[in-house]
Each structure stands twice: as structure tokens, then as C-alpha cells.
Amino acid sequence: KLGEDLPVNEHHTKAIPLSTRLANFLDATTRELAESNAELKDMAESAKAASRAKSTFLSSMSHEIRTPINAILGMDEMILRECTDETILEYARNIQAATTNLLGLVNDILDFSKIEAGKMEIIPVEYALSSVLNDLVNMIAERAAKKGLTFVVEVDEKAPSILYGDEIRLKQVVTNILTNAVKYTEQGSVKLTCKFAKKDAETILLQFSVQDTGIGIKASDMKNLFAAFTRIEEKRNRTVEGTGLGMSITKQILSLMGSRLEVASVYGEGSTFSFAVEQKVRNWDEMGDFEESYRRMMAGQKAYHEKFTAPKARILVVDDTAMNLTVVKGLLKQTLVKIDTAESGYECLHMVQKNHYDIIFLDHRMPGMDGMETLRHMKKLPHHLNEHTPVISLTANAVSGAREEYMAAGFDDYLTKPINSAQLEMCMIKYLPAEKVTRSLIDKEDNAVEVTAETVLPEWLMHAPGIDTAEGIKHCGGAEAYLDALTVFAESVEASADEIERYYKNAMWHDYTVKVHALKSTARVIGAAELSEKARRLEKAGNSGYIDEIKQHTEHLLYLYRGYGQILRPLISGHDEDTAAENKPLIDAADLADAYEAMRDMAASFDYDSMMSVFDSLSGYRLPESDAAKVDTIKLAALKPDWDKVRELLCG
């Protein structure tokens, strides 16, 4: 049969052997397959090029759209803070709601592109369940109220208070479901339920469900529920805003979290969406009555109040858009921070050689020299005034992989536009020198007050380096309880540090890991964020078996830990030095001067080990009160190490 498609000339057919005809046929087939494969390869390359072009477009779109949104939200925030006319305030709130909705649409498109690229990641952190629920209720309650809907929240009071998981993605999933419920419900109610089921000693199944009395979903439309860019009953719901991406993104995120969305619906009566995700438990203490605590929180809400003031701090903000510079200055006006601005990378390089800054905020996309190029050139400058200044990327670029890109480029942190004023202030609290920052806290009457010597805490503790007293009070529920916790912490430092050191020297890695885990938690409770973070990293190293990392960083951890013990020693016996300290010989003034001079030389040469030896030597003496506090502050700066700060303290 192979000869049927060949020439029918009888003479010719007889002249060509069958094997030759078969070979010719196979050659022809091979050529056709090769041509087909080449076409497929070309098509695949074209598809890849199109995907790259789309990613580039989305990155550009992210920046270009977020830049004006940043200006709108920033200026609107100024109106909400400073205006007292109720009519204008209502306009401003409407602008805020509309702009936030626009930002949500942009975020949906960007998240969809991350999922398509396979770059959506689940990043677990420790979080308070009550905080997640507060955020969810705050985002949805007003929308439901504007439509005349009853919003009901039911939370299991016995739910664990502190969990470990990706709280950002968890909130995104529940927010998408709640938003849809409010969108497609014209009358009746929306109900959010949060329960849990214990799985084992460390894990729970956290269960969420959202029930509404909306239009429901036809059985024939269920197959389209999770389709991207598709909305159910488009004609009927043409006035409902949205991209049609929310449920598709929700499905994909839950899949990454090892879960799936369950849907039960009766057309015309309503729907119930539910899911369960595994979460680790970090604190089994019961969360308690969420509804009551939420009511107290709402009743105590006041107008904006800055989280800190820092009149001695100085920062540099670099952005080629003058409007963005105005926004940052407006958002930080009440913090009293001195703000210098630059509108180009070249101007930035000039200014960092003239002035020392506590933080530099640097935009990415600028004409001429962009943010990354500016940072590279800055790092190459010889002995400039900001060699150790934190540089934070402040950018509208929010597409997949942006954080990794900026961290790899050498930035210390990353904030996206539109600028969230609360996140901006918290970021500054994290990176500004502690002695320049005065935190604000909410007292028992829920009034914003500044921490002063008149509060319950002693004056010296207000200025103790490396201790965030406002955070400690928040964790402990009050100033008196915080002082008690702080005293217990101070009393246990030496024994606990010795125990960690013993486990380390004897390679008892399991016990070591358990001990640094405990330190992570107790340090966080008293507001010692840096100590808590170092303990967390070593706990993670222990859990992962990274012994080299433990060996590299344990000595530093122990120096830092014992340094806190010295700082807090007045608590152990009231406000006096303990008995052991009183029995030490008073240091000679000349010896103390020599010690300071030696520390200056070591700071100039970044000699960490020798610096620690000086501190060890000084610990054998009783120092005058002012010098004891100064040495403790120098030691804590050296432990980071923050050599600029060490030199500044030694010159003071």
C-alpha cells in the first residue's frame, strides 16, 4: 500500500525498488515533521516573548498608575487629618473610597500576573488572629452599612491568640469573598464565621465561612465561577464593579496554601463560601470575646495621632516627582522629623556627601540615574557620611519579584506606593536611632499621650537603648504589668544566657533551639525587637539544621542578650546597683579615659573583638552612674554593630 501514493507509471514503478520508495517516503515525512517542529518552536518563542512583553507592560503600568494614586491618597489623607468642615470631610472620604477601589483593581491584575508567572509565594509569619479579624471587619463593615446590610461576625472565643502563617494572603482570600458577598447582596445580611479544629499539638485547621442572602448562583454558572476575567450573569450584574479576577485569584492562593474553596448556593436565596487552612499555633492562649474587644476598639478610636516624634532625626527622600515629595513631607509633618528632598540620583549623591541622614528613602524609576544605579554609586563613594545609613526603596513597582530585586540590589527595606502612613511611620521607628525617637502610646482612657517621666515607667527606662517601651506596654496590657515582666526578664538574663551557651558548646542543638525560641518570645514581649529577631533567626537555623549559621551568630546573640541584662540591672534591686556591683572597685578616672580612647581606636578600625574585650574588662569595675549608662549605650551600638553610632557616642 505504500506504493499507492507514488507515481503510477508502470515502467517507472517497476524501476524503483520498494525499499527505495519506502526510504523516500520516510524522508518526506521527516522533513514535514522537522518543518512542523520548527513552526512550533517559533510559536513557543513568540509566546515567551509575548509573556515577557506583558510582564514588562505590567511593571510599567504598576508604576505609572500607582504614582498618581499615591498623590491622590496622600493629599486626601492631609484633608482628612486637617479639615474640620464635615461636608468637605465627606467628599474626602468618598475620594478615599473610590481611589482605594481603583488601587484594588490594579492589585488584582498584578496578582493575576504573579500567578500566571508561577511567582506567587506563601510567606508565613507570626500574627495575632484578632488583628486579622479586626482588619477584615474594618474593610467590610462600612461597605455593608452603606448598602443597608446587616454584617454579622461569629468567632470562636477559644481560638488560639497567636498563629503562624501568611496573614496577608489569608486576609486577601477572606476579603475577596466578603467583598463579593456585599457586591451581590441587595438586602438581608452577610455573615462571617471563624472557627478552628485542633489537628495536633502544634497545628490547627482555621476555618472561615461567608454566608450571604444575595442573588445566589445558577448551577449552570458554577463552572464559570473561577474563570479569569469572567463575571457570572454579566448582563444582570453590569452595574457591579470588578475585573472578574477575584475568585480566580482566591482559588489559586488557597491552592498554594493546600486548601480549596467550597461553594454552596441556591439561586435567588444566597450563597455560602467556606475553606479551611492549616496554621501553626505559636500561643494557645484563648483569643476571647472578639465582638466585645472590637466594640471597645471602635469606641476608643480617635483622630490620627502620630506614632512617634523625632525632632532630632534627619532623613532624605529622593523622588523625581515633586508631588510625591510633598506627600511624604505632609504625612510625616507631625513627627517633627527634619526632611531633606532630592529630585534626582545625581542630587542624592551630592547630598549624601554633605550631610549625615538617619534614613534615605530612594525611588526606583527616575530619569537619568535610577534608584538602583544611585545606590550602586553611593556604595562606591569613599568614606562618605552615610556608609551605614539604611536605604529604603520607596517605589510604585509592585509586581512579582520586586522585593527580591530590591533586596538583592542592596536596599535595607522596601515600601510600595501608594504610601501607607502607618507603615511609613512603623518603618521609620524600626530604622531611626532609638535615642532620637519618642514613642506615643494609648493610656487607659484611650487618649494619645507622649511617654514622659510622669508616666508609671522610670525616666531612665524611657531612654534605655534597644527597648521599645510602648510595644512592651501594648504586649503586657499596661505599664505596671510591663514593669513586672521586664523585671522577671532582667533577673533571668544571666542564667538563661549561660544555659544557651552551655547547649551551644556541647552541641545540644535541640535544647539550644528550644531555648532561643523562648528568648525570641520573651524579648518580643518586653519590646526588645532586635534581640527577638536574632533569636528567631537562630531558632530557624536550629530547626533547619544549619549548624554553621548557629556557630557564626551565637556569640553575637549572647553579647547582645547579656547587654540587655546590664541595661536593665536597676530593676533587679529597685533603682540602685545590685550588691555585687557595689562590691566592685570604683574605676580610676585615668583608666576610664584610657578605655574610651581604646574604644575610639577600635571603632575607627571596626575591631569588634577588641571592643568586646574592653567591655569585658570594664565589667569588673564600678563606673560612675553617667558613665555606666554611656558604656551600656556604646556596647549596644557596637553589638549591632553600628560603628557610626559608636563613634558619635564616644565623641559626645
Side-chain angles (χ1 to χ4, degrees):
K1 295 216 178 217
L2 287 169
E4 290 180 355
D5 294 329
L6 297 175
V8 297
N9 182 285
E10 186 177 347
H11 175 74
H12 183 69
T13 302
K14 289 178 180 178
I16 301 175
L18 179 61
S19 59
T20 303
R21 282 181 281 158
L22 178 59
N24 291 340
F25 172 77
L26 290 174
D27 286 344
T29 304
T30 301
R31 283 194 300 273
E32 289 179 9
L33 288 173
E35 291 172 1
S36 178
N37 285 339
E39 289 178 11
L40 289 172
K41 187 176 180 180
D42 289 343
M43 291 171 65
E45 288 299 324
S46 297
K48 287 180 182 178
S51 179
R52 287 192 294 269
K54 182 182 73 172
S55 296
T56 302
F57 166 74
L58 286 171
S59 176
S60 176
M61 183 192 75
S62 167
H63 185 275
E64 297 305 324
I65 295 180
R66 282 169 173 267
T67 296
I69 290 178
N70 175 59
I72 295 168
L73 282 173
M75 293 300 180
D76 194 56
E77 175 74 13
M78 294 299 97
I79 296 171
L80 290 168
R81 287 185 189 182
E82 299 175 10
C83 182
T84 57
D85 186 300
E86 190 54 42
T87 301
I88 294 175
L89 285 173
E90 181 61 24
Y91 294 155
R93 283 190 284 267
N94 289 337
I95 292 171
Q96 186 182 55
T99 311
T100 301
N101 180 53
L102 174 59
L103 183 60
L105 298 178
V106 174
N107 288 339
D108 273 355
I109 294 171
L110 294 174
D111 275 345
F112 184 71
S113 78
K114 288 182 188 178
I115 292 169
E116 274 198 324
K119 293 183 178 179
M120 176 73 77
E121 295 181 358
I122 299 301
I123 304 173
V125 296
E126 191 174 285
Y127 68 92
L129 180 57
S130 59
S131 175
V132 169
L133 291 167
N134 277 339
D135 290 347
L136 291 170
V137 174
N138 284 336
M139 283 188 282
I140 299 300
E142 188 175 352
R143 296 186 190 183
K146 284 184 177 180
K147 293 190 71 173
L149 303 175
T150 302
F151 184 42
V152 181
V153 181
E154 286 188 2
V155 180
D156 190 335
E157 294 183 12
K158 296 183 178 181
S161 56
I162 306 296
L163 303 177
Y164 183 77
D166 193 330
E167 63 167 325
I168 301 298
R169 295 303 175 193
L170 184 64
K171 279 193 288 190
Q172 184 178 1
V173 166
V174 183
T175 301
N176 282 348
I177 299 170
L178 283 169
T179 302
N180 268 9
V182 173
K183 279 182 185 179
Y184 295 103
T185 302
E186 294 304 321
Q187 57 185 1
S189 65
V190 173
K191 180 181 178 181
L192 170 65
T193 303
C194 178
K195 300 186 295 183
F196 80 101
K198 187 174 180 180
K199 189 173 181 185
D200 55 42
E202 297 182 346
T203 312
I204 64 169
L205 277 176
L206 186 61
Q207 302 162 342
F208 282 94
S209 71
V210 176
Q211 183 179 6
D212 65 62
T213 58
I215 61 175
I217 305 169
K218 291 179 181 178
S220 59
D221 283 331
M222 280 290 188
K223 63 180 182 296
N224 295 323
L225 181 60
F226 300 110
F229 298 104
T230 301
R231 298 201 300 165
I232 294 171
E233 292 196 271
E234 182 75 31
K235 185 175 181 181
R236 177 178 178 178
N237 300 315
R238 62 188 180 278
T239 60
V240 177
E241 63 195 19
T243 58
L245 286 173
M247 297 313 292
S248 175
I249 291 170
T250 295
K251 177 186 176 183
Q252 298 288 347
I253 292 174
L254 284 176
S255 177
L256 289 172
M257 298 172 82
S259 181
R260 63 191 301 266
L261 189 62
E262 303 287 347
V263 185
S265 184
V266 177
Y267 188 63
E269 295 183 15
S271 306
T272 300
F273 293 78
S274 57
F275 67 90
V277 291
E278 280 191 17
Q279 301 284 272
K280 296 285 186 182
V281 178
R282 289 298 169 85
N283 190 332
W284 282 99
D285 290 348
E286 296 178 1
M287 186 176 65
D289 188 338
F290 169 76
E291 189 175 356
E292 177 60 30
S293 64
Y294 182 77
R295 276 200 299 267
R296 286 199 305 269
M297 184 199 73
M298 293 302 292
Q301 277 192 343
K302 303 291 180 183
Y304 164 80
H305 192 282
E306 67 280 359
K307 289 180 171 59
F308 73 98
T309 55
K312 294 182 179 179
R314 187 177 188 181
I315 68 170
L316 174 64
V317 185
V318 186
D319 197 304
D320 64 299
T321 305
M323 181 73 74
N324 288 338
L325 298 174
T326 302
V327 166
V328 174
K329 288 192 287 188
L331 291 176
L332 295 176
K333 181 165 62 176
Q334 289 176 240
T335 68
L336 306 181
V337 172
K338 180 174 175 56
I339 303 171
D340 290 353
T341 61
E343 295 190 20
S344 71
Y346 304 104
E347 189 178 354
C348 169
L349 294 177
H350 176 68
M351 295 180 74
V352 297
Q353 295 179 83
K354 291 199 311 178
N355 309 306
H356 170 71
Y357 296 104
D358 297 301
I359 301 175
I360 297 171
F361 289 103
L362 182 57
D363 187 33
H364 177 193
R365 295 194 177 179
M366 297 184 293
M369 183 187 296
D370 69 18
M372 290 192 178
E373 291 177 287
T374 303
L375 182 60
R376 283 197 296 271
H377 285 294
M378 192 189 307
K379 288 180 178 293
K380 293 177 182 177
L381 291 174
H383 307 298
H384 65 93
L385 298 171
N386 295 275
E387 288 181 274
H388 303 287
T389 299
V391 183
I392 297 166
S393 171
L394 189 61
T395 175
N397 184 11
V399 297
S400 174
R403 172 173 289 279
E404 294 78 5
E405 182 183 6
Y406 292 121
M407 297 300 101
F411 286 94
D412 293 278
D413 215 328
Y414 166 90
L415 287 177
T416 60
K417 301 173 187 176
I419 300 168
N420 178 294
S421 61
Q423 290 179 353
L424 176 61
E425 289 188 15
M426 290 307 296
C427 178
M428 292 182 66
I429 289 169
K430 178 179 178 181
Y431 289 103
L432 285 175
E435 67 276 7
K436 292 187 179 181
V437 176
T438 301
R439 291 291 304 270
S440 297
L441 58 88
I442 304 301
D443 65 13
K444 292 181 180 178
E445 289 74 38
D446 290 323
N447 295 316
V449 296
E450 202 167 79
V451 177
T452 67
E454 285 71 39
T455 63
V456 178
L457 302 182
E459 172 69 19
W460 65 268
L461 186 55
M462 295 290 90
H463 306 291
I467 298 176
D468 188 335
T469 53
E471 280 296 300
I473 290 172
K474 185 176 74 173
H475 289 312
C476 296
E480 291 182 7
Y482 175 55
L483 269 179
D484 290 341
L486 208 56
T487 302
V488 172
F489 180 88
E491 290 172 341
S492 66
V493 167
E494 200 58 42
S496 181
D498 288 347
E499 198 170 9
I500 291 173
E501 188 170 27
R502 178 167 61 84
Y503 291 144
Y504 169 71
K505 287 182 176 178
N506 291 294
M508 300 167 67
W509 304 126
H510 173 74
D511 293 330
Y512 172 93
T513 303
V514 170
K515 200 66 184 176
V516 293
H517 166 76
L519 175 58
K520 176 195 70 175
S521 300
T522 54
R524 178 174 175 270
V525 166
I526 68 161
E530 183 182 7
L531 180 60
S532 177
E533 175 61 18
K534 290 187 183 303
R536 183 192 70 79
R537 291 178 182 175
L538 285 171
E539 177 200 7
K540 185 176 180 181
N543 287 330
S544 304
Y546 296 152
I547 307 305
D548 287 345
E549 185 173 348
I550 292 175
K551 290 179 178 179
Q552 183 179 355
H553 297 292
T554 295
E555 185 178 355
H556 191 184
L557 173 82
L558 291 171
Y559 267 122
L560 185 62
Y561 190 12
R562 287 175 172 137
Y564 278 97
Q566 292 181 24
I567 291 166
L568 296 173
R569 61 190 170 188
L571 289 174
I572 299 175
S573 57
H575 296 275
D576 300 319
E577 298 292 336
D578 57 29
T579 304
E582 289 177 355
N583 292 333
K584 294 176 182 178
L586 181 66
I587 193 168
D588 183 78
D591 290 339
L592 182 58
D594 288 343
Y596 281 137
E597 185 61 35
M599 283 191 276
R600 289 189 192 96
D601 293 340
M602 293 160 192
S605 59
F606 310 108
D607 190 343
Y608 177 86
D609 292 334
S610 298
M611 181 75 80
M612 292 302 127
S613 296
V614 173
F615 292 132
D616 286 342
S617 299
L618 289 174
S619 67
Y621 294 92
R622 180 162 49 92
L623 275 62
E625 186 175 347
S626 60
D627 287 292
K630 180 177 179 179
V631 169
D632 285 343
T633 306
I634 294 169
K635 181 176 181 180
L636 203 60
L639 286 168
K640 290 185 178 182
D642 183 348
W643 295 110
D644 283 342
K645 185 63 185 174
V646 170
R647 287 190 288 269
E648 180 185 327
L649 291 166
L650 287 167
C651 291

PDB file of all heavy atoms in Angstrom, residues 120-138:
ATOM      1  N   MET A 120       3.773  33.681  42.607  1.00  0.00           N
ATOM      2  CA  MET A 120       3.036  33.961  43.829  1.00  0.00           C
ATOM      3  C   MET A 120       3.574  33.052  44.929  1.00  0.00           C
ATOM      4  O   MET A 120       3.648  31.841  44.761  1.00  0.00           O
ATOM      5  CB  MET A 120       1.538  33.703  43.610  1.00  0.00           C
ATOM      6  CG  MET A 120       0.699  33.879  44.869  1.00  0.00           C
ATOM      7  SD  MET A 120       0.486  35.600  45.349  1.00  0.00           S
ATOM      8  CE  MET A 120      -0.761  36.127  44.178  1.00  0.00           C
ATOM      9  N   GLU A 121       3.968  33.639  46.054  1.00  0.00           N
ATOM     10  CA  GLU A 121       4.573  32.868  47.126  1.00  0.00           C
ATOM     11  C   GLU A 121       3.765  32.997  48.407  1.00  0.00           C
ATOM     12  O   GLU A 121       3.134  34.028  48.653  1.00  0.00           O
ATOM     13  CB  GLU A 121       6.002  33.349  47.401  1.00  0.00           C
ATOM     14  CG  GLU A 121       6.962  33.110  46.242  1.00  0.00           C
ATOM     15  CD  GLU A 121       8.363  33.591  46.567  1.00  0.00           C
ATOM     16  OE1 GLU A 121       8.553  34.130  47.678  1.00  0.00           O
ATOM     17  OE2 GLU A 121       9.251  33.421  45.727  1.00  0.00           O
ATOM     18  N   ILE A 122       3.788  31.942  49.221  1.00  0.00           N
ATOM     19  CA  ILE A 122       3.192  31.977  50.547  1.00  0.00           C
ATOM     20  C   ILE A 122       4.329  32.233  51.535  1.00  0.00           C
ATOM     21  O   ILE A 122       5.284  31.463  51.613  1.00  0.00           O
ATOM     22  CB  ILE A 122       2.481  30.648  50.874  1.00  0.00           C
ATOM     23  CG1 ILE A 122       1.347  30.403  49.869  1.00  0.00           C
ATOM     24  CG2 ILE A 122       1.947  30.651  52.297  1.00  0.00           C
ATOM     25  CD1 ILE A 122       0.277  31.480  49.836  1.00  0.00           C
ATOM     26  N   ILE A 123       4.237  33.332  52.276  1.00  0.00           N
ATOM     27  CA  ILE A 123       5.303  33.738  53.186  1.00  0.00           C
ATOM     28  C   ILE A 123       4.744  33.759  54.605  1.00  0.00           C
ATOM     29  O   ILE A 123       4.060  34.712  55.003  1.00  0.00           O
ATOM     30  CB  ILE A 123       5.856  35.121  52.803  1.00  0.00           C
ATOM     31  CG1 ILE A 123       6.334  35.117  51.338  1.00  0.00           C
ATOM     32  CG2 ILE A 123       6.982  35.529  53.741  1.00  0.00           C
ATOM     33  CD1 ILE A 123       6.737  36.467  50.818  1.00  0.00           C
ATOM     34  N   PRO A 124       5.008  32.717  55.401  1.00  0.00           N
ATOM     35  CA  PRO A 124       4.440  32.657  56.750  1.00  0.00           C
ATOM     36  C   PRO A 124       5.146  33.577  57.737  1.00  0.00           C
ATOM     37  O   PRO A 124       6.361  33.758  57.672  1.00  0.00           O
ATOM     38  CB  PRO A 124       4.623  31.181  57.137  1.00  0.00           C
ATOM     39  CG  PRO A 124       5.781  30.719  56.330  1.00  0.00           C
ATOM     40  CD  PRO A 124       5.766  31.503  55.050  1.00  0.00           C
ATOM     41  N   VAL A 125       4.361  34.166  58.624  1.00  0.00           N
ATOM     42  CA  VAL A 125       4.876  34.999  59.708  1.00  0.00           C
ATOM     43  C   VAL A 125       4.029  34.733  60.949  1.00  0.00           C
ATOM     44  O   VAL A 125       2.956  34.141  60.869  1.00  0.00           O
ATOM     45  CB  VAL A 125       4.816  36.510  59.370  1.00  0.00           C
ATOM     46  CG1 VAL A 125       5.705  36.855  58.201  1.00  0.00           C
ATOM     47  CG2 VAL A 125       3.379  36.940  59.093  1.00  0.00           C
ATOM     48  N   GLU A 126       4.497  35.185  62.083  1.00  0.00           N
ATOM     49  CA  GLU A 126       3.712  35.099  63.310  1.00  0.00           C
ATOM     50  C   GLU A 126       2.707  36.250  63.323  1.00  0.00           C
ATOM     51  O   GLU A 126       3.057  37.398  63.061  1.00  0.00           O
ATOM     52  CB  GLU A 126       4.659  35.195  64.511  1.00  0.00           C
ATOM     53  CG  GLU A 126       4.016  34.866  65.838  1.00  0.00           C
ATOM     54  CD  GLU A 126       5.048  34.830  66.952  1.00  0.00           C
ATOM     55  OE1 GLU A 126       5.819  33.845  67.017  1.00  0.00           O
ATOM     56  OE2 GLU A 126       5.078  35.782  67.743  1.00  0.00           O
ATOM     57  N   TYR A 127       1.439  35.956  63.629  1.00  0.00           N
ATOM     58  CA  TYR A 127       0.430  37.021  63.623  1.00  0.00           C
ATOM     59  C   TYR A 127      -0.646  36.755  64.675  1.00  0.00           C
ATOM     60  O   TYR A 127      -0.857  35.623  65.118  1.00  0.00           O
ATOM     61  CB  TYR A 127      -0.214  37.168  62.240  1.00  0.00           C
ATOM     62  CG  TYR A 127      -1.090  35.997  61.830  1.00  0.00           C
ATOM     63  CD1 TYR A 127      -2.459  35.995  62.106  1.00  0.00           C
ATOM     64  CD2 TYR A 127      -0.560  34.906  61.143  1.00  0.00           C
ATOM     65  CE1 TYR A 127      -3.270  34.923  61.723  1.00  0.00           C
ATOM     66  CE2 TYR A 127      -1.358  33.832  60.758  1.00  0.00           C
ATOM     67  CZ  TYR A 127      -2.709  33.858  61.049  1.00  0.00           C
ATOM     68  OH  TYR A 127      -3.511  32.807  60.673  1.00  0.00           O
ATOM     69  N   ALA A 128      -1.326  37.822  65.081  1.00  0.00           N
ATOM     70  CA  ALA A 128      -2.435  37.730  66.025  1.00  0.00           C
ATOM     71  C   ALA A 128      -3.734  37.563  65.236  1.00  0.00           C
ATOM     72  O   ALA A 128      -4.051  38.389  64.371  1.00  0.00           O
ATOM     73  CB  ALA A 128      -2.494  38.979  66.902  1.00  0.00           C
ATOM     74  N   LEU A 129      -4.489  36.521  65.531  1.00  0.00           N
ATOM     75  CA  LEU A 129      -5.739  36.272  64.813  1.00  0.00           C
ATOM     76  C   LEU A 129      -6.710  37.430  64.993  1.00  0.00           C
ATOM     77  O   LEU A 129      -7.409  37.815  64.058  1.00  0.00           O
ATOM     78  CB  LEU A 129      -6.364  34.968  65.307  1.00  0.00           C
ATOM     79  CG  LEU A 129      -7.690  34.556  64.651  1.00  0.00           C
ATOM     80  CD1 LEU A 129      -7.550  34.445  63.132  1.00  0.00           C
ATOM     81  CD2 LEU A 129      -8.186  33.235  65.237  1.00  0.00           C
ATOM     82  N   SER A 130      -6.749  38.008  66.182  1.00  0.00           N
ATOM     83  CA  SER A 130      -7.674  39.120  66.425  1.00  0.00           C
ATOM     84  C   SER A 130      -7.355  40.311  65.531  1.00  0.00           C
ATOM     85  O   SER A 130      -8.264  41.014  65.071  1.00  0.00           O
ATOM     86  CB  SER A 130      -7.612  39.546  67.892  1.00  0.00           C
ATOM     87  OG  SER A 130      -6.297  39.951  68.240  1.00  0.00           O
ATOM     88  N   SER A 131      -6.055  40.531  65.247  1.00  0.00           N
ATOM     89  CA  SER A 131      -5.663  41.642  64.380  1.00  0.00           C
ATOM     90  C   SER A 131      -6.163  41.420  62.953  1.00  0.00           C
ATOM     91  O   SER A 131      -6.653  42.351  62.301  1.00  0.00           O
ATOM     92  CB  SER A 131      -4.143  41.793  64.384  1.00  0.00           C
ATOM     93  OG  SER A 131      -3.719  42.780  63.478  1.00  0.00           O
ATOM     94  N   VAL A 132      -6.046  40.171  62.459  1.00  0.00           N
ATOM     95  CA  VAL A 132      -6.551  39.844  61.118  1.00  0.00           C
ATOM     96  C   VAL A 132      -8.052  40.077  61.051  1.00  0.00           C
ATOM     97  O   VAL A 132      -8.575  40.679  60.102  1.00  0.00           O
ATOM     98  CB  VAL A 132      -6.218  38.379  60.765  1.00  0.00           C
ATOM     99  CG1 VAL A 132      -6.965  37.943  59.507  1.00  0.00           C
ATOM    100  CG2 VAL A 132      -4.726  38.206  60.561  1.00  0.00           C
ATOM    101  N   LEU A 133      -8.774  39.620  62.068  1.00  0.00           N
ATOM    102  CA  LEU A 133     -10.232  39.784  62.080  1.00  0.00           C
ATOM    103  C   LEU A 133     -10.613  41.259  62.166  1.00  0.00           C
ATOM    104  O   LEU A 133     -11.567  41.698  61.512  1.00  0.00           O
ATOM    105  CB  LEU A 133     -10.830  39.003  63.248  1.00  0.00           C
ATOM    106  CG  LEU A 133     -10.746  37.475  63.106  1.00  0.00           C
ATOM    107  CD1 LEU A 133     -11.058  36.799  64.431  1.00  0.00           C
ATOM    108  CD2 LEU A 133     -11.689  36.977  62.022  1.00  0.00           C
ATOM    109  N   ASN A 134      -9.875  42.037  62.972  1.00  0.00           N
ATOM    110  CA  ASN A 134     -10.127  43.483  63.045  1.00  0.00           C
ATOM    111  C   ASN A 134     -10.019  44.128  61.673  1.00  0.00           C
ATOM    112  O   ASN A 134     -10.869  44.931  61.264  1.00  0.00           O
ATOM    113  CB  ASN A 134      -9.127  44.150  63.998  1.00  0.00           C
ATOM    114  CG  ASN A 134      -9.538  44.052  65.444  1.00  0.00           C
ATOM    115  OD1 ASN A 134     -10.701  43.847  65.749  1.00  0.00           O
ATOM    116  ND2 ASN A 134      -8.582  44.174  66.341  1.00  0.00           N
ATOM    117  N   ASP A 135      -8.951  43.788  60.957  1.00  0.00           N
ATOM    118  CA  ASP A 135      -8.742  44.362  59.625  1.00  0.00           C
ATOM    119  C   ASP A 135      -9.876  43.978  58.681  1.00  0.00           C
ATOM    120  O   ASP A 135     -10.363  44.815  57.898  1.00  0.00           O
ATOM    121  CB  ASP A 135      -7.405  43.893  59.051  1.00  0.00           C
ATOM    122  CG  ASP A 135      -6.212  44.501  59.763  1.00  0.00           C
ATOM    123  OD1 ASP A 135      -6.409  45.462  60.527  1.00  0.00           O
ATOM    124  OD2 ASP A 135      -5.086  44.011  59.574  1.00  0.00           O
ATOM    125  N   LEU A 136     -10.299  42.720  58.723  1.00  0.00           N
ATOM    126  CA  LEU A 136     -11.377  42.254  57.846  1.00  0.00           C
ATOM    127  C   LEU A 136     -12.665  43.010  58.130  1.00  0.00           C
ATOM    128  O   LEU A 136     -13.362  43.469  57.204  1.00  0.00           O
ATOM    129  CB  LEU A 136     -11.598  40.750  58.027  1.00  0.00           C
ATOM    130  CG  LEU A 136     -10.482  39.834  57.512  1.00  0.00           C
ATOM    131  CD1 LEU A 136     -10.715  38.407  57.968  1.00  0.00           C
ATOM    132  CD2 LEU A 136     -10.394  39.897  55.988  1.00  0.00           C
ATOM    133  N   VAL A 137     -13.011  43.137  59.401  1.00  0.00           N
ATOM    134  CA  VAL A 137     -14.256  43.826  59.772  1.00  0.00           C
ATOM    135  C   VAL A 137     -14.185  45.299  59.384  1.00  0.00           C
ATOM    136  O   VAL A 137     -15.148  45.865  58.854  1.00  0.00           O
ATOM    137  CB  VAL A 137     -14.538  43.654  61.275  1.00  0.00           C
ATOM    138  CG1 VAL A 137     -15.751  44.484  61.691  1.00  0.00           C
ATOM    139  CG2 VAL A 137     -14.792  42.185  61.599  1.00  0.00           C
ATOM    140  N   ASN A 138     -13.018  45.926  59.622  1.00  0.00           N
ATOM    141  CA  ASN A 138     -12.872  47.338  59.264  1.00  0.00           C
ATOM    142  C   ASN A 138     -13.046  47.569  57.766  1.00  0.00           C
ATOM    143  O   ASN A 138     -13.597  48.583  57.340  1.00  0.00           O
ATOM    144  CB  ASN A 138     -11.499  47.849  59.705  1.00  0.00           C
ATOM    145  CG  ASN A 138     -11.418  48.086  61.202  1.00  0.00           C
ATOM    146  OD1 ASN A 138     -12.429  48.307  61.847  1.00  0.00           O
ATOM    147  ND2 ASN A 138     -10.220  48.030  61.751  1.00  0.00           N
TER     148      ASN A 138
END
